[in-house]
Amino acid sequence: MASNSDTLVTVFGGSGFLGRHVVRALAKRDYRIRVGVRRPELAGHLQPLGKVGQIHAVQVNLRHPASVRAAMRGSHVAVNLVGILTKSGRQTFDAVVAKGAATVAETAAAAGARLVHVSAIGADPTSASAYARAKASGEKAVLAAVPSATILRPSVMFGPEDQFANRFAALALMSPVLPLIGGGATRMQPVYVGDVATAAADAVDGKAKAGAVYELGGPEVLSMREIMQIILRVIERERMLVPLPFAIARLKAMFLQFAPGPLKLTPDQVELLKTDNVVSNAAIAAGLTLQGLGITPDSMEAVVPQYLWRFRKAGQFAPKGA
């Protein structure tokens, strides 16, 4: 009987936030892993996640199909994690999220490889958000090329290297006032990145339904106000939460889209916040969730203290085990 060590999995975008967790999960299951990244020389942090020679990084740019074909050579499974939150230069939503997904899927189909594609809750061809429309376009292209592909749609992800909880904690250090875009009523279902990685590895194992779209959310549906309150409790800081109407937020975003670090906010991100980001009732009924895969999701309050402790006031210590 063939073992996982006989299976080569090519992970596109494997050096990013979700990518390193997916690579770790696959390495623990003894797969051979080829990681397709734009800058292989910056992917050295992946090597300790597996055994010697188990993980190999190669140069890939989804805008260049030849590099995708080279990365897929000899692969049995492709996992596409490539995505961008904001566009920059030639790295647009259409080029990377939509057309890039199509390139990976078409290449996987030509190679006879299985495909796991990570999209996002909120993917919608009719959305006012360019990001959400590109995600939907990518999903459509994936299923057109590989009808048996498994698509995973996580809600907003949190974890040690995230741009979510870390971002709001950093903002709390910079300002005594934190804005609640749209009044903070938008609902989300934050999901731990490690749980999403486990789902991706399960899909590579063949435990997920072929051709299905899974929606991955955490154990709680929280408003943006509640999320901010959790983060402030964890870092033990008091800040005023001030409602900011969508119209004013969009106007501010016209300028803040060029800001660095945690201050960055784009008009498209404001548009996304107009829609709840939660697992649908249809996905729950069909068992196309983390729980449907046998995964019990971790909550924000259980995980974020393990890495947000560093935002606490000087002199306070990290929680045990952090």
Side-chain angles (χ1 to χ4, degrees), residues 77-129:
V77 187
V79 180
N80 183 27
L81 309 176
V82 177
I84 54 174
L85 295 175
T86 58
K87 57 185 180 180
S88 176
R90 289 178 292 180
Q91 297 292 103
T92 65
F93 293 136
D94 182 60
V96 176
V97 177
K99 293 180 180 177
T103 298
V104 171
E106 290 162 3
T107 305
R114 292 191 294 114
L115 175 61
V116 178
H117 176 74
V118 175
S119 181
I121 286 180
D124 181 356
T126 66
S127 174
S129 161

Side-chain angles (χ1 to χ4, degrees), residues 143-162:
L143 292 176
V146 186
S148 61
T150 298
I151 293 177
L152 305 179
R153 288 180 174 178
S155 184
V156 61
M157 290 181 285
F158 62 87
E161 311 89 2
D162 68 35

Side-chain angles (χ1 to χ4, degrees), residues 13-34:
S15 65
F17 171 49
L18 173 59
R20 68 188 69 191
H21 290 270
V22 170
V23 169
R24 179 186 292 114
L26 292 172
K28 286 182 177 179
R29 301 183 190 201
D30 292 326
Y31 287 104
R32 290 187 293 126
I33 306 161
R34 181 181 292 153

